[in-house]
């Protein structure tokens, strides 16, 4: 009657957020991080600038457990970035928690990163050869050190008496250039929020593998009518104020100086602070926010290949990524799946929470009634234990439970978003049968996962991926279903009505 | 785009569980309490007997936070009861946490209670006149003291040398009689798990207002084929071994001595320990479990009036209460609602989590597609704070979020399980409109709540109940919906196909 | 060079305090409990009355760790009692934590107790026969239940309309009588602080075995000049002036209504709230404090036999108990020891902390220079651990360390306050020798402990007491000293200049 | 009757420890840090190497609260360093907690530092100009970065296939050179423990201002007979294996490879792990410990000027620093004080804990009896609070209490180790008088503190130092004593029998 979940999924690395120009920026970042908590539960942190100094707090744990009211008395300022981190095996150390903060010649830089570099080792070696030191094994720290080095090379201006304003401006340019130069050097997936004492910069990799979007706060009117949309418009016709082709940038004076901006991994974080979504940061784009203006710099040819698993599993259904609603995408994958792999049945159910959307779509397209079928216990957190060895196995019965009245004597279609190792699926089918299901038809709203990810997703090795080692019929037998079908890669593309995604884990073909 | 919830609901008081004859009974109770956590998040406790002594741990907090692995080294024994408690305003004190434990002449008794007594004050006064003292303001402690007093009056036998076995049996009889006598004295709603060093007793009030069910553990075969069902059978033809009509009892020798029994507020708790549901405890029934046998005593004429809000809101969808699946009941309420109050629309959505079932049922009956529409953040717990005063209000945006792609330009039917004060509903409609809904049709799967509950449910006073003070059209205007409809009381009864429920909050007519 | 301590000592049970008439009485009790923390580190609690209700908080842990600032917002009121408890083996349960609180017919009573009853089992059986129930195994709860029962029997008056004041007075009388009746029933050692919503009562057993004293707060002038001394004066006068020996009472109208009173186990607790010591509660005396007056009732013939170990080890040196300064007593024991057991030596040192006073006295009398010799690490608390099994033994090296420059090449006299099992003494001598001591002369400022205590002190069984099983010379060899001497019982009495003490652990003769 | 203390003292910065070659080195460091806890209570940390990787844990809090048993499962390895840090105002941040850990080209380096650099700003600027970044404001991180940079410049050898051993040796040389080069660059006070994956190095500044000593573990025999003493001997005749005069070094092959070495701020830390003291690290010396041998390098002309406040206040009495027993030094300061400032009196008492030694010495020299007089509550820790504003002031009464029987009617000599602001002294005299002292003669065992410290001691500014702004007679009046005397600087030197100390706070003349 029950089933374990979660352990048998791919997992994302983190969530990032940055806010510029808001009173109590840290507490707004706190709210945003709670809304991004699903992207990582290992550690969380917030760095905030009061214009002169950056203060940082980061710890192991959930956002809600880490930050107390008294913390916000110290986390004062109008510019802040935040980070939540996913717990990869064995890596629960405070050293790898983000944001990273470095203080040096020109001041301080804090950085939050979602993604993974493929040329991390080479860059770290290069930096180490140049004398850099690291306090963690994180590739995110490598990005920070690169920015620092470029900033120094660009010649930070420490200010001359009587000319502080000018040097400040020169510094802002040096720093922006350093971020752009770094973005060109690093390869892989990256969505970054980087801040100095008086700037906030967002960066997305040239393939836009990891998501990042831009919004405004305290602006309840529809974004269409508002000045910020000019940024969106202008970037299609960027003004060429620099000679360098990749430095084409759209500068929007912040006439609306009082309006705070927000950068976040998902649009649900913008909603969490009652903000208004403006647009996604483009692949290969740098967004620079200062007190004076907000600029867009296209540092690389955009070749959009958003990680398709953001839609399949990682993102929250209420987020919109690169113009596509996550929930809508899940409906459509379910619909296509119903077309590709129909079966007569009495009920369609989804595996909570990420299988629900596809199940709803499948139900709509097939006409088979949608039901709940399975429920997940939401009170199971990190402190939940199995007091005796014997009970370790039965922990799964506490996590998931079947709803017998939905299943007994019925032909059941169960939709999961993906199959990774297959262990969960087998247990799930068993549970459905024990709860009286007459037939169990397993449908998967993503194609078979056959290849590990090198761009930030925690995947088991190839020979642990059941679709890599088994044929479809073998898998069906293994999990004990009456029938089994995956959506086709073609069908998935059809569902999206586009093909601008990284599908490396299905195809073995990676953008980088 | 968001909406607050929860504060604008009725709330149950608690969940209880009891396990007899299981190795590490405390850890099984722990699992069960986690599965009943939705019934109360204020405090939790476990009392366990090793046959000679009862050990107790109870604390303020969630089950998963209270119990550590080291606790279970001390909580040794094969008989245990547990309790989770709901936080009524201002009552977060350890003194009212359950189970209650009393040690006296004949040994120890621990008790866990879900419900509320209406003759609590009289009984307490009576006990106080007889010299009883209390360590809490809880009516549950009154029940415990009553049992103790009756037990003493019945003449507990403390054992004579050479005749320990006989006195032990006499004591068991005295204690059972005391529980039965107490059950007859107390008026109101009560589901009890009571234990001594060597017995476990379950009691349900004569109206069966609060739920309680019986199961077996470690018995994966279907209950139908299993000896325990004899209890069910036999109770229909109870053997009359006592002269008292209300003491008719069915005695089943525990030939299967090794099989542990479980009593629990909801069947999902039985599932959580991989147990098998046997049957509900009947209204007016006492279930007595000892090492030798399991007995049923009908101490009062059964006049079943289960609290209908268990199905509407309190219980988990995967529970079956008094033969009715909670989820099935919600579907049916939604279906009847669709028949009673149809409207042309593009999507049906439910308010998570308790409105989902009715929304699915409405969708099935109406043919309008079912969608998600709204999402609830599951990472918001007791430690979540609003760092600044200004942010206190916007906390709601972190809790609930709308899915714009489900709503924009659409005619939306939104189903909630109930309207209490109406504040949430107004905010919800506003959010749906801001997310682009063209029309918002509000449907409620329970009738208007017009009367406070005196039987264990935390209700606001009558003049805070919007349906008590406003007409339907006024409420519609107040919440800003295009249309509003509640299921009728008659329709609700039709949905259940039965009328054995307490519907006091709708009708003002109470069973007690 | 080191030595373990503490585990090889006798231990007291607890400390009590009660305050009447002070603003924020709970926070003053908190300060007092911190000053009594040496009397018990297991659990602590405070009960406070706001005139209508008694609120209680108690927990496992140190006073400073249990109470947070937010607790004192709830612990409002002008009457409060508190308790710190010593951790007897295996007994670290919240159930035995004090104060105990009971609510019943006539209101609420909270009680804090230091001591141990010898007729505990009989009284508990009697109460249980009468129907009483207990939530702990503590004999202190027996005292509370006895008071409750007597109070009820005395006829509490619940108030008649228009005559509340009168009934209140009658109740005060009933309650006072109940405490007096209880004090006569219980046998053993007891110092009690008992409170109702509007009274505070202190009780000391007829032998005055456990200490209890009375003081005033916010009264920096010397007590001699102040009205409160009238109580002191009067109690010398009233004695024997009524027929009933136990009802002699001195009533002092509280003309000084605003002045708060304090009852405490030791005078250092009075000092901790900047109060002024008035006098010790007498053996067999009850002190009743109400808003109107403060009364003394002699309920039993005073036969003072204060536990002599209070002076030897338990009490703080800055406390004065029954007119004798603890520190002064230790000096004098050291002086007599020097007279009885002189030896040529280069330095006298004491085992910290309780051996220091006697060592100073020995030095004064003998002319041998006093030195430090040994130091104890004050940062070792309950959270200190030995990470590896191998290190468990060497934990002692972190606790105590020798000062080599005080010892190398020297003839050393080391004074400890007592020898119980002898294990510590052996290790100590070894350490002194390893630090270069040429000769080690061990002197003990109390006579050989040969008998266990039945009056509240945690003693090992008789055959674990080294002085019970070994002759002096055998002990000397066992601990490896060059010479060994205990003060004689006669010498000890000489040191005190009086013989009004319980010396049961030396002589086997107990007052009760 | 009471007195506050501590706030009116100078305070040291930290304590360091390093252990090489011990099983479970981290748990031994843990014990050592507990014994050095008096040197800093703000934060603590341990870094440990398993030969390949360095693992670090550091946190705000007391050593005993930070480290749990489970931590030591992760802190595996045979080489470890540790640090405890003093809380300077406002600086309670995890960023400044030590040890610092950096990973770079050649591996990892962890560093723990006690002291303060005077050329910190210049060095940081130089490093920043070279591109270094910092994660804290600590001058200790500057030292670490300098070592890293020098190490890189010296050419770390990353190993060539087939020649790993050789490159490893070359690396050890590069690293050792880097530490020596850094030690020559930094100015100020420093005692360092630095480690790589396979080395431990101790460094002491050329003036030896902060203490550091060397010991061996698991070697209970007296150090005199032991091979390690050869190190001590040999350094007087260092072998000249390098051309540079300051690189003269004594190499002792570690024939005794199994014997672990320990470096620590105070010898009491060596005692805490049952180790044997070898000798102090010399001023201007570097001690290099590898698996193969232990070497001494004299990188600077020794010009010993140990901070004299280590003896006056900072160090534990059982420590021996630079051949002088701390406790012995305190006795002698008391003796000289008695000679310089005698007075007729009845009792000599010391202000606990650091005034006790001098008081004992004064008593010996003067013949006036030594007594306790004042007691300090040892249960007052960081969690102790004053619940109400009004009680904040009376917190002092809980901290210190007078022993009236030692004072009443007596002429009292009270010895404190120093007077800084004078606030404590005034309160203390008041308390002694209120406890009945007839005369109060205040004696101070260090000369007047007139100048702030620039070498690591937290001193108030010059105009807050009472001796800087007041004449002796003014101070006497201010504190209300009958007489007042400080030891003379000459007398202090006489007490030590040597003049190799930094006495900057008395004279304004600093070694650096």
């Amino acid at each position: 009657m029950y089933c374990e979940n979660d352990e048998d999924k791919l997992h994302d690395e983190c969530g990032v957020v940055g806010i510029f120009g808001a009173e109590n920026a840290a507490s707004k970042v706190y709210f945003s991080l709670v809304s991004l908590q699903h992207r990582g539960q290992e550690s969380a942190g917030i760095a905030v600038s009061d214009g002169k100094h950056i203060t940082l707090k980061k710890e192991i744990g959930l956002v809600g457990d880490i930050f107390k009211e008294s913390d916000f008395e110290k986390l004062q300022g109008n510019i802040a970035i935040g980070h939540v981190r996913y717990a990869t095996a064995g890596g629960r150390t405070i050293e790898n928690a983000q944001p990273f903060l470095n203080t040096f010649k020109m001041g301080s830089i804090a950085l939050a990163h979602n993604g993974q570099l493929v040329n991390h080792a080479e860059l770290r070696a290069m930096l180490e050869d140049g004398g850099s030191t690291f306090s963690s094994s994180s590739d995110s720290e490598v990005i920070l050190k690169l920015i620092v080095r470029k900033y120094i090379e660009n010649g930070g201006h420490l200010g001359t008496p009587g000319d502080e304003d000018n040097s400040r401006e020169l510094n802002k340019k040096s720093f922006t250039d350093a971020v752009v130069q770094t973005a060109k050097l690093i390869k892989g997936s990256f969505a970054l929020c980087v801040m100095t004492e008086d700037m906030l910069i967002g960066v997305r990799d040239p393939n836009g593998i990891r998501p990042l979007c831009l919004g405004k706060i305290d602006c309840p009117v529809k974004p269409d009518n508002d000045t910020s949309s000019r940024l969106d418009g202008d970037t299609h016709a960027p003004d060429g104020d620099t000679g360098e082709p990749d430095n084409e940038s759209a500068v929007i004076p912040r006439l609306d100086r009082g309006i705070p901006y927000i950068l976040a991994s998902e649009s649900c974080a913008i909603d969490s602070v009652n903000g208004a979504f403006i647009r996604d940061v483009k692949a290969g784009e740098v967004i620079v926010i200062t007190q004076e203006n907000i600029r867009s710099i296209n540092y690389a040819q955009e070749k959009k290949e958003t990680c398709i698993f953001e839609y399949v599993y990682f993102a929250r259904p209420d987020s919109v990524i690169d113009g596509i609603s996550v929930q809508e995408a899940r409906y459509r994958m379910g619909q296509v799946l119903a077309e590709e792999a129909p079966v007569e049945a009495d009920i369609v159910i989804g595996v909570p929470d990420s299988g629900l959307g596809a199940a709803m779509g499948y139900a709509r397209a097939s006409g088979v009634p949608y039901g709940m079928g399975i429920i997940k216990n939401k009170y199971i957190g990190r402190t939940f234990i199995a007091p005796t060895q014997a009970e370790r196995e039965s922990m799964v019965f506490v996590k998931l439970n079947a709803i017998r009245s939905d299943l007994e004597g019925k032909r059941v279609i169960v939709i999961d978003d993906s199959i990774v190792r297959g262990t969960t699926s087998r247990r799930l089918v068993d549970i459905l049968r024990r709860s009286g299901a007459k037939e169990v038809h397993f449908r998967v709203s993503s194609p078979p996962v056959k290849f590990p990810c090198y761009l930030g997703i925690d995947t088991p090795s190839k020979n642990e991926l059941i679709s890599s080692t088994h044929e479809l019929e073998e898998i069906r037998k293994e999990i004990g279903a009456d029938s089994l079908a995956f959506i086709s890669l073609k069908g998935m593309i059809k569902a999206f009505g586009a093909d601008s995604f990284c599908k490396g884990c299905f195809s073995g073909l990676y953008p980088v």
Side-chain angles (χ1 to χ4, degrees), chain A residues 478-499:
Chain A
E478 182 75 18
I479 68 173
D482 292 289
S483 75
L484 168 67
F486 291 84
I487 196 173
S488 68
L489 198 44
K490 205 173 139 189
M492 191 180 215
I493 292 163
K494 179 184 160 196
F496 279 90
D499 190 11

mmCIF file of all heavy atoms in Angstrom, chain A residues 478-499:
data_model
loop_
_atom_site.group_PDB
_atom_site.id
_atom_site.type_symbol
_atom_site.label_atom_id
_atom_site.label_comp_id
_atom_site.label_asym_id
_atom_site.label_seq_id
_atom_site.Cartn_x
_atom_site.Cartn_y
_atom_site.Cartn_z
ATOM 1 N N GLU A 478 10.702 -6.204 -14.579
ATOM 2 C CA GLU A 478 11.421 -5.842 -13.347
ATOM 3 C C GLU A 478 10.511 -5.085 -12.385
ATOM 4 O O GLU A 478 10.520 -5.340 -11.174
ATOM 5 C CB GLU A 478 12.635 -4.974 -13.726
ATOM 6 C CG GLU A 478 13.517 -4.551 -12.585
ATOM 7 C CD GLU A 478 14.382 -5.668 -12.064
ATOM 8 O OE1 GLU A 478 14.568 -6.677 -12.788
ATOM 9 O OE2 GLU A 478 14.851 -5.558 -10.910
ATOM 10 N N ILE A 479 9.755 -4.150 -12.897
ATOM 11 C CA ILE A 479 8.924 -3.353 -11.997
ATOM 12 C C ILE A 479 7.556 -4.002 -11.788
ATOM 13 O O ILE A 479 6.786 -3.581 -10.928
ATOM 14 C CB ILE A 479 8.758 -1.892 -12.483
ATOM 15 C CG1 ILE A 479 7.936 -1.809 -13.772
ATOM 16 C CG2 ILE A 479 10.114 -1.226 -12.669
ATOM 17 C CD1 ILE A 479 7.616 -0.373 -14.188
ATOM 18 N N GLY A 480 7.244 -5.034 -12.567
ATOM 19 C CA GLY A 480 6.026 -5.814 -12.315
ATOM 20 C C GLY A 480 4.744 -5.185 -12.833
ATOM 21 O O GLY A 480 3.655 -5.526 -12.373
ATOM 22 N N ALA A 481 4.853 -4.277 -13.803
ATOM 23 C CA ALA A 481 3.652 -3.630 -14.333
ATOM 24 C C ALA A 481 3.025 -4.468 -15.437
ATOM 25 O O ALA A 481 3.694 -5.307 -16.059
ATOM 26 C CB ALA A 481 4.018 -2.252 -14.876
ATOM 27 N N ASP A 482 1.742 -4.262 -15.687
ATOM 28 C CA ASP A 482 1.082 -4.956 -16.790
ATOM 29 C C ASP A 482 1.493 -4.372 -18.131
ATOM 30 O O ASP A 482 1.541 -5.073 -19.133
ATOM 31 C CB ASP A 482 -0.446 -4.875 -16.611
ATOM 32 C CG ASP A 482 -0.899 -5.676 -15.417
ATOM 33 O OD1 ASP A 482 -0.852 -6.914 -15.466
ATOM 34 O OD2 ASP A 482 -1.241 -5.045 -14.393
ATOM 35 N N SER A 483 1.736 -3.075 -18.140
ATOM 36 C CA SER A 483 2.311 -2.471 -19.341
ATOM 37 C C SER A 483 3.160 -1.292 -18.904
ATOM 38 O O SER A 483 3.017 -0.780 -17.798
ATOM 39 C CB SER A 483 1.211 -2.000 -20.309
ATOM 40 O OG SER A 483 0.603 -0.808 -19.834
ATOM 41 N N LEU A 484 4.056 -0.908 -19.789
ATOM 42 C CA LEU A 484 4.977 0.194 -19.473
ATOM 43 C C LEU A 484 5.227 0.987 -20.731
ATOM 44 O O LEU A 484 5.426 0.409 -21.812
ATOM 45 C CB LEU A 484 6.311 -0.361 -18.951
ATOM 46 C CG LEU A 484 7.477 0.643 -18.852
ATOM 47 C CD1 LEU A 484 7.185 1.701 -17.784
ATOM 48 C CD2 LEU A 484 8.780 -0.071 -18.531
ATOM 49 N N ALA A 485 5.191 2.301 -20.622
ATOM 50 C CA ALA A 485 5.565 3.128 -21.768
ATOM 51 C C ALA A 485 6.186 4.431 -21.289
ATOM 52 O O ALA A 485 5.769 5.008 -20.288
ATOM 53 C CB ALA A 485 4.338 3.419 -22.628
ATOM 54 N N PHE A 486 7.200 4.858 -22.031
ATOM 55 C CA PHE A 486 7.818 6.171 -21.828
ATOM 56 C C PHE A 486 7.334 7.068 -22.949
ATOM 57 O O PHE A 486 7.055 6.601 -24.064
ATOM 58 C CB PHE A 486 9.339 6.062 -21.943
ATOM 59 C CG PHE A 486 10.003 5.321 -20.830
ATOM 60 C CD1 PHE A 486 10.099 3.924 -20.847
ATOM 61 C CD2 PHE A 486 10.569 6.005 -19.767
ATOM 62 C CE1 PHE A 486 10.738 3.234 -19.831
ATOM 63 C CE2 PHE A 486 11.222 5.319 -18.744
ATOM 64 C CZ PHE A 486 11.305 3.942 -18.773
ATOM 65 N N ILE A 487 7.264 8.341 -22.709
ATOM 66 C CA ILE A 487 7.036 9.273 -23.807
ATOM 67 C C ILE A 487 8.259 9.198 -24.719
ATOM 68 O O ILE A 487 9.374 8.932 -24.249
ATOM 69 C CB ILE A 487 6.819 10.715 -23.275
ATOM 70 C CG1 ILE A 487 6.198 11.602 -24.353
ATOM 71 C CG2 ILE A 487 8.128 11.325 -22.782
ATOM 72 C CD1 ILE A 487 5.807 13.003 -23.843
ATOM 73 N N SER A 488 8.063 9.384 -26.023
ATOM 74 C CA SER A 488 9.217 9.397 -26.929
ATOM 75 C C SER A 488 9.881 10.767 -26.883
ATOM 76 O O SER A 488 9.272 11.755 -26.473
ATOM 77 C CB SER A 488 8.764 9.099 -28.359
ATOM 78 O OG SER A 488 7.976 10.196 -28.818
ATOM 79 N N LEU A 489 11.138 10.807 -27.265
ATOM 80 C CA LEU A 489 11.854 12.079 -27.287
ATOM 81 C C LEU A 489 11.137 13.024 -28.260
ATOM 82 O O LEU A 489 10.966 14.220 -27.975
ATOM 83 C CB LEU A 489 13.303 11.828 -27.730
ATOM 84 C CG LEU A 489 14.340 12.921 -27.436
ATOM 85 C CD1 LEU A 489 14.192 13.481 -26.031
ATOM 86 C CD2 LEU A 489 15.754 12.341 -27.609
ATOM 87 N N LYS A 490 10.703 12.462 -29.377
ATOM 88 C CA LYS A 490 9.978 13.245 -30.364
ATOM 89 C C LYS A 490 8.666 13.775 -29.778
ATOM 90 O O LYS A 490 8.281 14.937 -29.956
ATOM 91 C CB LYS A 490 9.675 12.324 -31.566
ATOM 92 C CG LYS A 490 9.475 13.035 -32.862
ATOM 93 C CD LYS A 490 9.355 12.008 -34.005
ATOM 94 C CE LYS A 490 8.268 12.410 -34.982
ATOM 95 N NZ LYS A 490 7.997 11.324 -35.969
ATOM 96 N N GLY A 491 7.990 12.896 -29.072
ATOM 97 C CA GLY A 491 6.736 13.288 -28.431
ATOM 98 C C GLY A 491 6.959 14.385 -27.404
ATOM 99 O O GLY A 491 6.161 15.319 -27.270
ATOM 100 N N MET A 492 8.050 14.288 -26.684
ATOM 101 C CA MET A 492 8.351 15.305 -25.691
ATOM 102 C C MET A 492 8.553 16.659 -26.365
ATOM 103 O O MET A 492 8.043 17.686 -25.899
ATOM 104 C CB MET A 492 9.612 14.903 -24.938
ATOM 105 C CG MET A 492 9.835 15.766 -23.703
ATOM 106 S SD MET A 492 11.317 15.258 -22.844
ATOM 107 C CE MET A 492 10.814 15.535 -21.152
ATOM 108 N N ILE A 493 9.313 16.647 -27.465
ATOM 109 C CA ILE A 493 9.556 17.897 -28.201
ATOM 110 C C ILE A 493 8.227 18.457 -28.724
ATOM 111 O O ILE A 493 7.965 19.650 -28.645
ATOM 112 C CB ILE A 493 10.560 17.646 -29.350
ATOM 113 C CG1 ILE A 493 11.938 17.332 -28.733
ATOM 114 C CG2 ILE A 493 10.640 18.843 -30.287
ATOM 115 C CD1 ILE A 493 12.896 16.674 -29.685
ATOM 116 N N LYS A 494 7.378 17.545 -29.171
ATOM 117 C CA LYS A 494 6.057 17.962 -29.633
ATOM 118 C C LYS A 494 5.273 18.630 -28.492
ATOM 119 O O LYS A 494 4.612 19.662 -28.680
ATOM 120 C CB LYS A 494 5.293 16.738 -30.147
ATOM 121 C CG LYS A 494 3.881 17.038 -30.640
ATOM 122 C CD LYS A 494 3.166 15.757 -31.046
ATOM 123 C CE LYS A 494 1.652 15.955 -31.063
ATOM 124 N NZ LYS A 494 0.931 14.680 -31.066
ATOM 125 N N ALA A 495 5.379 18.037 -27.328
ATOM 126 C CA ALA A 495 4.659 18.584 -26.165
ATOM 127 C C ALA A 495 5.086 20.026 -25.898
ATOM 128 O O ALA A 495 4.268 20.882 -25.562
ATOM 129 C CB ALA A 495 4.908 17.714 -24.942
ATOM 130 N N PHE A 496 6.361 20.288 -26.064
ATOM 131 C CA PHE A 496 6.870 21.627 -25.784
ATOM 132 C C PHE A 496 6.649 22.572 -26.961
ATOM 133 O O PHE A 496 6.708 23.782 -26.808
ATOM 134 C CB PHE A 496 8.361 21.563 -25.445
ATOM 135 C CG PHE A 496 8.627 21.153 -24.025
ATOM 136 C CD1 PHE A 496 8.775 19.813 -23.683
ATOM 137 C CD2 PHE A 496 8.693 22.096 -23.019
ATOM 138 C CE1 PHE A 496 9.011 19.436 -22.373
ATOM 139 C CE2 PHE A 496 8.934 21.727 -21.716
ATOM 140 C CZ PHE A 496 9.084 20.390 -21.382
ATOM 141 N N GLY A 497 6.452 21.988 -28.152
ATOM 142 C CA GLY A 497 6.314 22.833 -29.329
ATOM 143 C C GLY A 497 7.598 23.561 -29.654
ATOM 144 O O GLY A 497 7.600 24.628 -30.270
ATOM 145 N N ALA A 498 8.709 23.011 -29.224
ATOM 146 C CA ALA A 498 10.005 23.657 -29.417
ATOM 147 C C ALA A 498 11.067 22.617 -29.135
ATOM 148 O O ALA A 498 10.785 21.557 -28.566
ATOM 149 C CB ALA A 498 10.170 24.827 -28.452
ATOM 150 N N ASP A 499 12.317 22.949 -29.520
ATOM 151 C CA ASP A 499 13.392 21.989 -29.277
ATOM 152 C C ASP A 499 14.647 22.673 -28.756
ATOM 153 O O ASP A 499 15.753 22.385 -29.169
ATOM 154 C CB ASP A 499 13.679 21.198 -30.555
ATOM 155 C CG ASP A 499 14.619 20.031 -30.260
ATOM 156 O OD1 ASP A 499 14.844 19.744 -29.068
ATOM 157 O OD2 ASP A 499 15.135 19.420 -31.215
#
